Amino acid sequence: MKDKTLYITGAGVSAESGIPTFRGEDGFWTIGSINYTPQEMATRRMYQEKPDEFLLWYYKRFATYSHIKPNNVHYWLSDKKLITQNIDGLDGKAGNSNYIPIHGRLDKVTVFHEQGKNVSFLNAPWKHVAEETKLNDDDNFLKKILLESFKISSKTLKPELEISLKPFVLLFDEYYTDLYRMSEAENWMNNVNKFVFIGTSFSVNITSIALQYALSRDCEVEIVDPNPIDIGHSSVTYHQMTAKEFILKRSE
């Protein structure tokens, strides 16, 4: 049978570019705000109830990395069938024109909508926010500019459906929909015979879903990670190395 491989990547792939992994010491999910944990911040509920806090956290944690460039791993993956958990967009910058960013994209926003609805993407206003706050990066002023940019009233602090903007990111209390190309992702999982997981801790739903597809269909499974998690199946091949070391080995 012809080798049809699906690559599933996580934060470890972008670490070489200078983006902290999510659960490392300086990771996004270990650094919260003054009053809230990351697990509280990265939720639809927080966006709806305290949009100024949510946008400030999101801007500082993610938008500041919008200038980061792809590394050799992204370029190696550029012609591969790829589903990534990363929202940094580096796979697209590296030339992969059809990868699935299953958790969203940093450079895009959508109109705020009920989950499951199919809406269009808009370019994120990060550049505008950066320019407006270049001479004043006080948090209160930054919140004001963020609220204006995302069309949220600073008086009511309530995002309005079909009016306000929301970062195109899948939050902790949201679910996979076809806006995130979930049906397409599952179709890919049904039509490959090999899964390669690179730089992921298996702590998010998409990796569990992909692994379930792989094992139920008796597909070959490889896991690439400096400290791989033993998933308890003898048929899995582990590569205890970084993503960079893995592609160098494959390129030999």
Side-chain angles (χ1 to χ4, degrees):
M1 183 178 180
K2 183 180 178 181
D3 178 32
K4 294 190 293 184
T5 302
L6 175 61
Y7 292 84
I8 314 284
T9 62
V13 168
S14 293
E16 192 73 25
S17 291
I19 298 180
T21 56
F22 284 80
R23 290 168 177 80
E25 290 184 2
D26 56 353
F28 295 118
W29 300 147
T30 61
I31 303 174
S33 70
I34 295 174
N35 301 310
Y36 303 98
T37 67
Q39 289 75 15
E40 291 172 316
M41 289 303 305
T43 62
R44 186 181 182 91
R45 179 178 179 179
M46 183 63 74
Y47 167 76
Q48 290 178 287
E49 296 182 355
K50 298 182 184 297
D52 54 341
E53 292 280 352
F54 172 90
L55 291 171
L56 180 67
W57 178 83
Y58 190 86
Y59 181 74
K60 288 190 171 184
R61 294 293 172 268
F62 292 100
T64 51
Y65 290 95
S66 61
H67 65 286
I68 296 291
K69 299 186 183 302
N71 59 56
N72 289 338
V73 181
H74 296 113
Y75 287 110
W76 186 81
L77 289 165
S78 64
D79 61 349
K80 309 292 192 294
K81 188 177 287 292
L82 170 67
I83 298 173
T84 186
Q85 302 163 44
N86 301 330
I87 67 169
D88 51 42
L90 295 180
D91 292 291
K93 290 180 181 179
N96 195 318
S97 60
N98 195 40
Y99 78 104
I100 296 179
I102 200 71
H103 290 160
R105 280 176 51 175
L106 175 63
D107 61 341
K108 299 295 179 183
V109 298
T110 67
V111 67
F112 179 43
H113 61 282
E114 296 289 358
Q115 292 184 79
K117 185 175 181 179
N118 190 21
V119 295
S120 299
F121 300 113
L122 302 168
N123 291 327
W126 307 129
K127 185 177 180 181
H128 168 73
V129 173
E131 289 175 351
E132 289 294 310
T133 58
K134 185 164 49 178
L135 301 178
N136 184 357
D137 62 355
D138 173 77
D139 280 357
N140 288 327
F141 184 69
L142 181 51
K143 285 180 183 179
K144 177 178 178 293
I145 299 301
L146 285 164
L147 289 172
E148 290 175 358
S149 301
F150 280 80
K151 301 181 181 180
I152 300 171
S153 169
S154 59
K155 293 181 179 179
T156 65
L157 289 180
K158 294 295 180 184
E160 297 178 72
L161 285 170
E162 310 303 331
I163 294 176
S164 300
L165 302 178
K166 175 186 174 290
F168 176 45
V169 59
L170 187 73
L171 300 169
F172 280 134
D173 55 352
E174 295 183 318
Y175 52 86
Y176 294 115
T177 68
D178 283 344
L179 184 67
Y180 297 90
R181 297 169 63 185
M182 188 59 193
S183 293
E184 186 177 358
E186 290 186 299
N187 182 56
W188 284 9
M189 294 175 198
N190 261 323
N191 287 281
V192 296
N193 54 27
K194 182 177 181 180
F195 289 69
V196 180
F197 297 87
I198 306 178
T200 177
S201 63
F202 285 90
S203 56
V204 294
N205 286 341
I206 192 63
T207 48
S208 298
I209 293 169
L211 186 60
Q212 185 176 5
Y213 268 92
L215 298 177
S216 67
R217 298 182 52 247
D218 199 28
C219 296
E220 186 178 350
V221 176
E222 294 186 37
I223 295 175
V224 181
D225 196 279
N227 298 293
I229 294 175
D230 186 350
I231 60 175
H233 291 270
S234 58
S235 59
V236 176
T237 300
Y238 296 91
H239 301 278
Q240 192 170 358
M241 59 184 68
T242 64
K244 181 180 179 181
E245 291 169 336
F246 176 73
I247 67 161
L248 287 173
K249 184 177 179 181
R250 286 295 166 95
S251 300
E252 291 177 351

mmCIF file of all heavy atoms in Angstrom, residues 148-188:
data_model
loop_
_atom_site.group_PDB
_atom_site.id
_atom_site.type_symbol
_atom_site.label_atom_id
_atom_site.label_comp_id
_atom_site.label_asym_id
_atom_site.label_seq_id
_atom_site.Cartn_x
_atom_site.Cartn_y
_atom_site.Cartn_z
ATOM 1 N N GLU A 148 -11.511 49.111 20.787
ATOM 2 C CA GLU A 148 -11.908 49.844 19.570
ATOM 3 C C GLU A 148 -11.651 48.995 18.333
ATOM 4 O O GLU A 148 -12.501 48.914 17.435
ATOM 5 C CB GLU A 148 -11.134 51.157 19.470
ATOM 6 C CG GLU A 148 -11.521 52.201 20.489
ATOM 7 C CD GLU A 148 -10.633 53.438 20.406
ATOM 8 O OE1 GLU A 148 -9.692 53.449 19.574
ATOM 9 O OE2 GLU A 148 -10.872 54.394 21.172
ATOM 10 N N SER A 149 -10.506 48.366 18.287
ATOM 11 C CA SER A 149 -10.124 47.568 17.114
ATOM 12 C C SER A 149 -11.011 46.345 16.936
ATOM 13 O O SER A 149 -11.215 45.877 15.810
ATOM 14 C CB SER A 149 -8.661 47.132 17.239
ATOM 15 O OG SER A 149 -7.803 48.255 17.336
ATOM 16 N N PHE A 150 -11.540 45.815 18.041
ATOM 17 C CA PHE A 150 -12.399 44.638 17.982
ATOM 18 C C PHE A 150 -13.895 44.990 18.067
ATOM 19 O O PHE A 150 -14.725 44.111 18.243
ATOM 20 C CB PHE A 150 -12.005 43.642 19.079
ATOM 21 C CG PHE A 150 -10.799 42.819 18.711
ATOM 22 C CD1 PHE A 150 -9.522 43.351 18.838
ATOM 23 C CD2 PHE A 150 -10.939 41.536 18.200
ATOM 24 C CE1 PHE A 150 -8.407 42.609 18.469
ATOM 25 C CE2 PHE A 150 -9.833 40.786 17.829
ATOM 26 C CZ PHE A 150 -8.557 41.332 17.960
ATOM 27 N N LYS A 151 -14.190 46.283 17.928
ATOM 28 C CA LYS A 151 -15.570 46.777 17.851
ATOM 29 C C LYS A 151 -16.399 46.379 19.072
ATOM 30 O O LYS A 151 -17.516 45.875 18.961
ATOM 31 C CB LYS A 151 -16.239 46.277 16.560
ATOM 32 C CG LYS A 151 -15.513 46.715 15.295
ATOM 33 C CD LYS A 151 -16.211 46.226 14.045
ATOM 34 C CE LYS A 151 -15.453 46.665 12.803
ATOM 35 N NZ LYS A 151 -16.100 46.211 11.556
ATOM 36 N N ILE A 152 -15.792 46.617 20.242
ATOM 37 C CA ILE A 152 -16.457 46.325 21.509
ATOM 38 C C ILE A 152 -16.552 47.627 22.300
ATOM 39 O O ILE A 152 -15.547 48.332 22.478
ATOM 40 C CB ILE A 152 -15.679 45.272 22.325
ATOM 41 C CG1 ILE A 152 -15.574 43.957 21.543
ATOM 42 C CG2 ILE A 152 -16.356 45.014 23.672
ATOM 43 C CD1 ILE A 152 -14.643 42.939 22.167
ATOM 44 N N SER A 153 -17.717 47.965 22.787
ATOM 45 C CA SER A 153 -17.925 49.200 23.531
ATOM 46 C C SER A 153 -17.141 49.191 24.836
ATOM 47 O O SER A 153 -17.202 48.231 25.610
ATOM 48 C CB SER A 153 -19.422 49.376 23.842
ATOM 49 O OG SER A 153 -19.602 50.422 24.775
ATOM 50 N N SER A 154 -16.416 50.274 25.100
ATOM 51 C CA SER A 154 -15.663 50.395 26.353
ATOM 52 C C SER A 154 -16.592 50.709 27.524
ATOM 53 O O SER A 154 -16.186 50.622 28.684
ATOM 54 C CB SER A 154 -14.605 51.490 26.230
ATOM 55 O OG SER A 154 -15.212 52.730 25.922
ATOM 56 N N LYS A 155 -17.834 51.056 27.223
ATOM 57 C CA LYS A 155 -18.814 51.350 28.278
ATOM 58 C C LYS A 155 -19.518 50.075 28.746
ATOM 59 O O LYS A 155 -19.618 49.808 29.929
ATOM 60 C CB LYS A 155 -19.831 52.367 27.775
ATOM 61 C CG LYS A 155 -19.244 53.750 27.526
ATOM 62 C CD LYS A 155 -20.307 54.724 27.064
ATOM 63 C CE LYS A 155 -19.703 56.112 26.837
ATOM 64 N NZ LYS A 155 -20.733 57.083 26.369
ATOM 65 N N THR A 156 -19.998 49.294 27.787
ATOM 66 C CA THR A 156 -20.730 48.072 28.157
ATOM 67 C C THR A 156 -19.814 46.886 28.394
ATOM 68 O O THR A 156 -20.137 45.973 29.153
ATOM 69 C CB THR A 156 -21.723 47.696 27.059
ATOM 70 O OG1 THR A 156 -20.994 47.357 25.851
ATOM 71 C CG2 THR A 156 -22.672 48.847 26.757
ATOM 72 N N LEU A 157 -18.640 46.890 27.723
ATOM 73 C CA LEU A 157 -17.709 45.753 27.788
ATOM 74 C C LEU A 157 -18.417 44.448 27.451
ATOM 75 O O LEU A 157 -18.168 43.406 28.073
ATOM 76 C CB LEU A 157 -17.043 45.655 29.159
ATOM 77 C CG LEU A 157 -16.020 46.735 29.489
ATOM 78 C CD1 LEU A 157 -15.435 46.514 30.881
ATOM 79 C CD2 LEU A 157 -14.898 46.774 28.454
ATOM 80 N N LYS A 158 -19.268 44.488 26.437
ATOM 81 C CA LYS A 158 -19.999 43.304 26.003
ATOM 82 C C LYS A 158 -19.849 43.127 24.495
ATOM 83 O O LYS A 158 -20.360 43.937 23.718
ATOM 84 C CB LYS A 158 -21.488 43.423 26.357
ATOM 85 C CG LYS A 158 -21.780 43.433 27.851
ATOM 86 C CD LYS A 158 -21.408 42.105 28.499
ATOM 87 C CE LYS A 158 -21.708 42.112 29.993
ATOM 88 N NZ LYS A 158 -21.252 40.855 30.644
ATOM 89 N N PRO A 159 -19.162 42.085 24.049
ATOM 90 C CA PRO A 159 -19.081 41.828 22.609
ATOM 91 C C PRO A 159 -20.474 41.576 22.045
ATOM 92 O O PRO A 159 -21.300 40.919 22.678
ATOM 93 C CB PRO A 159 -18.218 40.559 22.528
ATOM 94 C CG PRO A 159 -17.512 40.482 23.835
ATOM 95 C CD PRO A 159 -18.430 41.088 24.841
ATOM 96 N N GLU A 160 -20.737 42.109 20.856
ATOM 97 C CA GLU A 160 -22.043 41.957 20.226
ATOM 98 C C GLU A 160 -21.959 40.969 19.069
ATOM 99 O O GLU A 160 -21.074 41.073 18.210
ATOM 100 C CB GLU A 160 -22.531 43.310 19.705
ATOM 101 C CG GLU A 160 -22.742 44.356 20.782
ATOM 102 C CD GLU A 160 -23.184 45.688 20.208
ATOM 103 O OE1 GLU A 160 -24.351 45.787 19.759
ATOM 104 O OE2 GLU A 160 -22.349 46.614 20.175
ATOM 105 N N LEU A 161 -22.886 40.012 19.059
ATOM 106 C CA LEU A 161 -22.941 39.036 17.975
ATOM 107 C C LEU A 161 -23.107 39.738 16.639
ATOM 108 O O LEU A 161 -23.875 40.699 16.519
ATOM 109 C CB LEU A 161 -24.096 38.051 18.196
ATOM 110 C CG LEU A 161 -23.892 36.987 19.281
ATOM 111 C CD1 LEU A 161 -25.197 36.257 19.553
ATOM 112 C CD2 LEU A 161 -22.803 35.993 18.872
ATOM 113 N N GLU A 162 -22.367 39.261 15.654
ATOM 114 C CA GLU A 162 -22.414 39.745 14.280
ATOM 115 C C GLU A 162 -21.891 41.170 14.116
ATOM 116 O O GLU A 162 -21.981 41.742 13.030
ATOM 117 C CB GLU A 162 -23.834 39.655 13.698
ATOM 118 C CG GLU A 162 -24.510 38.301 13.883
ATOM 119 C CD GLU A 162 -23.718 37.144 13.280
ATOM 120 O OE1 GLU A 162 -22.991 37.366 12.297
ATOM 121 O OE2 GLU A 162 -23.831 36.019 13.806
ATOM 122 N N ILE A 163 -21.322 41.751 15.179
ATOM 123 C CA ILE A 163 -20.765 43.108 15.099
ATOM 124 C C ILE A 163 -19.313 43.121 15.571
ATOM 125 O O ILE A 163 -18.419 43.566 14.843
ATOM 126 C CB ILE A 163 -21.597 44.101 15.941
ATOM 127 C CG1 ILE A 163 -23.001 44.260 15.344
ATOM 128 C CG2 ILE A 163 -20.888 45.466 16.013
ATOM 129 C CD1 ILE A 163 -23.927 45.145 16.146
ATOM 130 N N SER A 164 -19.098 42.659 16.780
ATOM 131 C CA SER A 164 -17.747 42.650 17.344
ATOM 132 C C SER A 164 -16.876 41.614 16.638
ATOM 133 O O SER A 164 -17.379 40.721 15.944
ATOM 134 C CB SER A 164 -17.812 42.340 18.845
ATOM 135 O OG SER A 164 -18.573 43.316 19.528
ATOM 136 N N LEU A 165 -15.576 41.733 16.834
ATOM 137 C CA LEU A 165 -14.627 40.781 16.260
ATOM 138 C C LEU A 165 -14.065 39.888 17.353
ATOM 139 O O LEU A 165 -13.987 40.283 18.516
ATOM 140 C CB LEU A 165 -13.482 41.523 15.564
ATOM 141 C CG LEU A 165 -13.873 42.479 14.440
ATOM 142 C CD1 LEU A 165 -12.641 43.173 13.886
ATOM 143 C CD2 LEU A 165 -14.632 41.755 13.335
ATOM 144 N N LYS A 166 -13.679 38.690 16.967
ATOM 145 C CA LYS A 166 -13.093 37.726 17.898
ATOM 146 C C LYS A 166 -11.877 37.095 17.228
ATOM 147 O O LYS A 166 -11.933 36.741 16.045
ATOM 148 C CB LYS A 166 -14.100 36.633 18.259
ATOM 149 C CG LYS A 166 -13.535 35.517 19.134
ATOM 150 C CD LYS A 166 -14.553 34.410 19.321
ATOM 151 C CE LYS A 166 -13.948 33.217 20.060
ATOM 152 N NZ LYS A 166 -12.953 32.488 19.238
ATOM 153 N N PRO A 167 -10.770 36.973 17.948
ATOM 154 C CA PRO A 167 -9.613 36.279 17.362
ATOM 155 C C PRO A 167 -10.016 34.896 16.863
ATOM 156 O O PRO A 167 -10.810 34.200 17.509
ATOM 157 C CB PRO A 167 -8.634 36.185 18.532
ATOM 158 C CG PRO A 167 -8.985 37.335 19.418
ATOM 159 C CD PRO A 167 -10.486 37.452 19.322
ATOM 160 N N PHE A 168 -9.469 34.513 15.725
ATOM 161 C CA PHE A 168 -9.754 33.188 15.171
ATOM 162 C C PHE A 168 -8.887 32.172 15.899
ATOM 163 O O PHE A 168 -7.802 31.801 15.461
ATOM 164 C CB PHE A 168 -9.475 33.165 13.664
ATOM 165 C CG PHE A 168 -9.660 31.808 13.035
ATOM 166 C CD1 PHE A 168 -10.763 31.026 13.321
ATOM 167 C CD2 PHE A 168 -8.718 31.322 12.137
ATOM 168 C CE1 PHE A 168 -10.930 29.785 12.741
ATOM 169 C CE2 PHE A 168 -8.883 30.084 11.540
ATOM 170 C CZ PHE A 168 -9.987 29.309 11.841
ATOM 171 N N VAL A 169 -9.384 31.759 17.062
ATOM 172 C CA VAL A 169 -8.672 30.794 17.895
ATOM 173 C C VAL A 169 -9.702 29.949 18.629
ATOM 174 O O VAL A 169 -10.720 30.452 19.091
ATOM 175 C CB VAL A 169 -7.729 31.514 18.892
ATOM 176 C CG1 VAL A 169 -8.503 32.466 19.793
ATOM 177 C CG2 VAL A 169 -6.938 30.514 19.726
ATOM 178 N N LEU A 170 -9.430 28.667 18.702
ATOM 179 C CA LEU A 170 -10.301 27.754 19.436
ATOM 180 C C LEU A 170 -9.947 27.825 20.911
ATOM 181 O O LEU A 170 -8.839 27.479 21.311
ATOM 182 C CB LEU A 170 -10.131 26.321 18.924
ATOM 183 C CG LEU A 170 -11.104 25.300 19.507
ATOM 184 C CD1 LEU A 170 -12.504 25.509 18.934
ATOM 185 C CD2 LEU A 170 -10.630 23.878 19.218
ATOM 186 N N LEU A 171 -10.887 28.273 21.715
ATOM 187 C CA LEU A 171 -10.654 28.459 23.145
ATOM 188 C C LEU A 171 -11.005 27.205 23.936
ATOM 189 O O LEU A 171 -11.646 26.295 23.419
ATOM 190 C CB LEU A 171 -11.451 29.674 23.626
ATOM 191 C CG LEU A 171 -11.058 30.983 22.912
ATOM 192 C CD1 LEU A 171 -12.053 32.096 23.218
ATOM 193 C CD2 LEU A 171 -9.640 31.409 23.297
ATOM 194 N N PHE A 172 -10.588 27.180 25.200
ATOM 195 C CA PHE A 172 -10.747 25.982 26.020
ATOM 196 C C PHE A 172 -12.191 25.503 26.124
ATOM 197 O O PHE A 172 -12.452 24.306 26.191
ATOM 198 C CB PHE A 172 -10.203 26.224 27.433
ATOM 199 C CG PHE A 172 -8.706 26.112 27.541
ATOM 200 C CD1 PHE A 172 -7.982 27.062 28.235
ATOM 201 C CD2 PHE A 172 -8.023 25.057 26.960
ATOM 202 C CE1 PHE A 172 -6.600 26.972 28.352
ATOM 203 C CE2 PHE A 172 -6.646 24.956 27.062
ATOM 204 C CZ PHE A 172 -5.940 25.915 27.761
ATOM 205 N N ASP A 173 -13.140 26.441 26.175
ATOM 206 C CA ASP A 173 -14.540 26.054 26.336
ATOM 207 C C ASP A 173 -15.318 26.085 25.016
ATOM 208 O O ASP A 173 -16.533 26.166 25.010
ATOM 209 C CB ASP A 173 -15.232 26.931 27.384
ATOM 210 C CG ASP A 173 -15.105 28.421 27.091
ATOM 211 O OD1 ASP A 173 -14.353 28.790 26.156
ATOM 212 O OD2 ASP A 173 -15.754 29.223 27.793
ATOM 213 N N GLU A 174 -14.605 26.008 23.905
ATOM 214 C CA GLU A 174 -15.234 25.909 22.582
ATOM 215 C C GLU A 174 -14.983 24.520 22.011
ATOM 216 O O GLU A 174 -14.204 23.740 22.559
ATOM 217 C CB GLU A 174 -14.685 26.995 21.652
ATOM 218 C CG GLU A 174 -15.041 28.404 22.104
ATOM 219 C CD GLU A 174 -14.551 29.477 21.150
ATOM 220 O OE1 GLU A 174 -13.405 29.359 20.666
ATOM 221 O OE2 GLU A 174 -15.293 30.433 20.895
ATOM 222 N N TYR A 175 -15.634 24.217 20.899
ATOM 223 C CA TYR A 175 -15.490 22.887 20.313
ATOM 224 C C TYR A 175 -15.136 22.995 18.820
ATOM 225 O O TYR A 175 -15.362 24.020 18.177
ATOM 226 C CB TYR A 175 -16.777 22.074 20.497
ATOM 227 C CG TYR A 175 -18.051 22.755 20.029
ATOM 228 C CD1 TYR A 175 -18.467 22.679 18.695
ATOM 229 C CD2 TYR A 175 -18.852 23.475 20.926
ATOM 230 C CE1 TYR A 175 -19.632 23.300 18.265
ATOM 231 C CE2 TYR A 175 -20.016 24.096 20.508
ATOM 232 C CZ TYR A 175 -20.406 24.005 19.175
ATOM 233 O OH TYR A 175 -21.546 24.631 18.760
ATOM 234 N N TYR A 176 -14.563 21.913 18.316
ATOM 235 C CA TYR A 176 -14.167 21.874 16.910
ATOM 236 C C TYR A 176 -15.394 21.972 16.003
ATOM 237 O O TYR A 176 -16.375 21.253 16.207
ATOM 238 C CB TYR A 176 -13.428 20.577 16.597
ATOM 239 C CG TYR A 176 -12.101 20.422 17.295
ATOM 240 C CD1 TYR A 176 -11.903 19.413 18.241
ATOM 241 C CD2 TYR A 176 -11.037 21.259 17.012
ATOM 242 C CE1 TYR A 176 -10.686 19.251 18.886
ATOM 243 C CE2 TYR A 176 -9.811 21.113 17.647
ATOM 244 C CZ TYR A 176 -9.645 20.109 18.575
ATOM 245 O OH TYR A 176 -8.434 19.963 19.219
ATOM 246 N N THR A 177 -15.322 22.853 15.029
ATOM 247 C CA THR A 177 -16.383 22.986 14.027
ATOM 248 C C THR A 177 -15.721 23.025 12.654
ATOM 249 O O THR A 177 -14.494 23.019 12.527
ATOM 250 C CB THR A 177 -17.192 24.282 14.235
ATOM 251 O OG1 THR A 177 -16.339 25.414 13.940
ATOM 252 C CG2 THR A 177 -17.709 24.395 15.669
ATOM 253 N N ASP A 178 -16.538 23.112 11.624
ATOM 254 C CA ASP A 178 -15.963 23.153 10.279
ATOM 255 C C ASP A 178 -15.331 24.493 9.944
ATOM 256 O O ASP A 178 -14.659 24.625 8.923
ATOM 257 C CB ASP A 178 -17.021 22.776 9.238
ATOM 258 C CG ASP A 178 -17.255 21.274 9.208
ATOM 259 O OD1 ASP A 178 -16.413 20.538 9.757
ATOM 260 O OD2 ASP A 178 -18.273 20.833 8.646
ATOM 261 N N LEU A 179 -15.542 25.505 10.801
ATOM 262 C CA LEU A 179 -14.784 26.737 10.649
ATOM 263 C C LEU A 179 -13.301 26.426 10.821
ATOM 264 O O LEU A 179 -12.436 27.061 10.203
ATOM 265 C CB LEU A 179 -15.230 27.764 11.698
ATOM 266 C CG LEU A 179 -14.591 29.148 11.605
ATOM 267 C CD1 LEU A 179 -15.046 29.867 10.333
ATOM 268 C CD2 LEU A 179 -14.929 29.988 12.832
ATOM 269 N N TYR A 180 -13.016 25.427 11.649
ATOM 270 C CA TYR A 180 -11.648 24.976 11.900
ATOM 271 C C TYR A 180 -11.283 23.765 11.029
ATOM 272 O O TYR A 180 -10.286 23.102 11.271
ATOM 273 C CB TYR A 180 -11.478 24.642 13.385
ATOM 274 C CG TYR A 180 -11.673 25.852 14.271
ATOM 275 C CD1 TYR A 180 -12.936 26.181 14.763
ATOM 276 C CD2 TYR A 180 -10.610 26.686 14.583
ATOM 277 C CE1 TYR A 180 -13.128 27.311 15.549
ATOM 278 C CE2 TYR A 180 -10.791 27.817 15.376
ATOM 279 C CZ TYR A 180 -12.057 28.123 15.848
ATOM 280 O OH TYR A 180 -12.235 29.249 16.623
ATOM 281 N N ARG A 181 -12.150 23.461 10.053
ATOM 282 C CA ARG A 181 -11.942 22.392 9.062
ATOM 283 C C ARG A 181 -11.897 21.002 9.702
ATOM 284 O O ARG A 181 -11.148 20.130 9.289
ATOM 285 C CB ARG A 181 -10.675 22.674 8.250
ATOM 286 C CG ARG A 181 -10.756 23.957 7.436
ATOM 287 C CD ARG A 181 -9.433 24.388 6.849
ATOM 288 N NE ARG A 181 -8.896 23.429 5.912
ATOM 289 C CZ ARG A 181 -7.685 23.561 5.347
ATOM 290 N NH1 ARG A 181 -6.919 24.599 5.650
ATOM 291 N NH2 ARG A 181 -7.248 22.652 4.501
ATOM 292 N N MET A 182 -12.753 20.805 10.720
ATOM 293 C CA MET A 182 -12.721 19.541 11.446
ATOM 294 C C MET A 182 -13.157 18.369 10.577
ATOM 295 O O MET A 182 -12.548 17.289 10.637
ATOM 296 C CB MET A 182 -13.609 19.631 12.696
ATOM 297 C CG MET A 182 -13.476 18.415 13.603
ATOM 298 S SD MET A 182 -11.771 18.202 14.159
ATOM 299 C CE MET A 182 -11.821 16.552 14.838
ATOM 300 N N SER A 183 -14.195 18.523 9.774
ATOM 301 C CA SER A 183 -14.642 17.421 8.911
ATOM 302 C C SER A 183 -13.551 17.035 7.922
ATOM 303 O O SER A 183 -13.322 15.853 7.650
ATOM 304 C CB SER A 183 -15.922 17.805 8.159
ATOM 305 O OG SER A 183 -17.004 17.951 9.049
ATOM 306 N N GLU A 184 -12.876 18.034 7.394
ATOM 307 C CA GLU A 184 -11.775 17.778 6.462
ATOM 308 C C GLU A 184 -10.639 17.044 7.167
ATOM 309 O O GLU A 184 -10.045 16.105 6.610
ATOM 310 C CB GLU A 184 -11.280 19.100 5.882
ATOM 311 C CG GLU A 184 -10.237 18.947 4.795
ATOM 312 C CD GLU A 184 -9.812 20.270 4.199
ATOM 313 O OE1 GLU A 184 -10.349 21.324 4.599
ATOM 314 O OE2 GLU A 184 -8.927 20.252 3.317
ATOM 315 N N ALA A 185 -10.348 17.449 8.400
ATOM 316 C CA ALA A 185 -9.295 16.792 9.171
ATOM 317 C C ALA A 185 -9.625 15.321 9.398
ATOM 318 O O ALA A 185 -8.770 14.438 9.246
ATOM 319 C CB ALA A 185 -9.099 17.511 10.510
ATOM 320 N N GLU A 186 -10.875 15.032 9.749
ATOM 321 C CA GLU A 186 -11.275 13.644 9.980
ATOM 322 C C GLU A 186 -11.261 12.849 8.681
ATOM 323 O O GLU A 186 -10.936 11.653 8.689
ATOM 324 C CB GLU A 186 -12.654 13.615 10.629
ATOM 325 C CG GLU A 186 -12.631 14.121 12.065
ATOM 326 C CD GLU A 186 -13.956 13.958 12.779
ATOM 327 O OE1 GLU A 186 -14.955 14.554 12.322
ATOM 328 O OE2 GLU A 186 -14.004 13.211 13.772
ATOM 329 N N ASN A 187 -11.572 13.477 7.580
ATOM 330 C CA ASN A 187 -11.484 12.799 6.283
ATOM 331 C C ASN A 187 -10.034 12.422 5.982
ATOM 332 O O ASN A 187 -9.761 11.314 5.500
ATOM 333 C CB ASN A 187 -12.038 13.700 5.182
ATOM 334 C CG ASN A 187 -12.020 13.027 3.819
ATOM 335 O OD1 ASN A 187 -12.575 11.946 3.628
ATOM 336 N ND2 ASN A 187 -11.374 13.660 2.854
ATOM 337 N N TRP A 188 -9.116 13.310 6.276
ATOM 338 C CA TRP A 188 -7.698 12.997 6.106
ATOM 339 C C TRP A 188 -7.308 11.809 6.979
ATOM 340 O O TRP A 188 -6.600 10.902 6.525
ATOM 341 C CB TRP A 188 -6.844 14.208 6.489
ATOM 342 C CG TRP A 188 -6.809 15.306 5.464
ATOM 343 C CD1 TRP A 188 -7.576 15.417 4.338
ATOM 344 C CD2 TRP A 188 -5.963 16.462 5.484
ATOM 345 N NE1 TRP A 188 -7.259 16.573 3.659
ATOM 346 C CE2 TRP A 188 -6.266 17.228 4.333
ATOM 347 C CE3 TRP A 188 -4.994 16.932 6.360
ATOM 348 C CZ2 TRP A 188 -5.624 18.433 4.046
ATOM 349 C CZ3 TRP A 188 -4.350 18.135 6.072
ATOM 350 C CH2 TRP A 188 -4.652 18.876 4.930
#
